[in-house]
Each structure stands twice: as structure tokens, then as C-alpha cells.
Amino acid sequence: MQRILLIDDDEELGAPLATYLRRFDFELESAALPSVGLAKLAAGHFDAVILDVMLPEIDGFEVCRRIRRDSDIPVLMLTARGELTDRVVGLELGADDYLPKPFEPRELAARLQTILRRS
């Protein structure tokens, strides 16, 4: 089972998404704060990160920068900020994929499978 870390302040997203992704052999762990997510990432083995842009403490773009300083773990940005400029910035900072909200869970699972196949 592949372990995925979700860093998103929408605490209502994690549980249903974890249940859904289990169908695809993914184990999802959530962090509502970037500091908690970065600590979990440093302490545990994860295969990929799903990252929101609009977060408390620091934004997801900065979280992506920090992840990229130390790791080449696949990062999928999942955010309501779906404007072209936001998508380009996310990809330029090192995200492997960018999916705007609202999203279809099946598409998220397919995108995760794709980026994990490449890594």
C-alpha cells in the first residue's frame, strides 16, 4: 500500500478521501497545518504528497519549495486556486501535477497513479 500525505486545512476532506483512495491501494494521512505536514513528511515514509495552496501559516507554494529543497517526492497540488498563473507557478516550483478544486476523486486517483508510476 502506498502512503500519501494530504496537507490541506479542509479537515472534512481527509476522511472521505482516505476511504475512497483505499480502493486504489493508497493509505492517506492528513495534516491540516503546513508545519504538521512538513514534520510528518520528515518523520515518516510517504510515497507522494497532495498539497493545497491556500493554507494557514504559509501557503502551499512555499511548502512545495521547502519539500523540493530536501526531496524529490511526487507532489500533486489540489487547490481552489485554478487560474493559469497559479497552475504554472505550482508546476515551476516543482509540483508534478496540479488539479483544481472542485475535483473528481477518480481523476485524483488516476493522477496519483500516474505520478507514482513515473517516480
Side-chain angles (χ1 to χ4, degrees):
M1 188 169 275
Q2 294 180 301
R3 294 186 68 219
I4 311 297
L5 177 61
L6 171 66
I7 304 174
D8 193 315
D9 62 333
D10 180 357
E11 295 185 42
E12 295 180 13
L13 177 63
L17 191 56
T19 300
Y20 184 81
L21 290 176
R22 242 180 259 126
R23 298 179 191 177
F24 301 92
D25 208 29
F26 293 126
E27 177 187 339
L28 186 72
E29 188 169 329
S30 298
L33 295 172
S35 57
V36 173
L38 290 168
K40 285 184 176 193
L41 191 58
H45 173 75
F46 290 94
D47 298 294
V49 176
I50 300 171
L51 178 60
D52 190 9
V53 171
M54 295 184 294
L55 294 166
E57 300 178 333
I58 56 173
D59 70 29
F61 295 135
E62 178 59 26
V63 175
C64 188
R65 272 189 209 96
R66 292 180 188 188
I67 290 171
R68 283 292 167 250
R69 275 190 285 206
D70 303 319
S71 175
D72 61 354
I73 188 171
V75 175
L76 189 153
M77 305 293 283
L78 179 67
T79 180
R81 289 185 51 180
E83 296 296 320
L84 175 63
T85 303
D86 295 318
R87 293 192 313 262
V88 169
V89 167
L91 294 168
E92 287 177 343
L93 290 174
D96 297 279
D97 202 350
Y98 199 107
L99 182 61
K101 292 177 183 176
F103 67 98
E104 287 294 323
R106 182 63 187 100
E107 182 180 5
L108 174 64
R111 288 172 179 261
L112 282 170
Q113 289 168 328
T114 299
I115 64 174
L116 285 166
R117 234 187 343 261
R118 287 185 290 194
S119 64

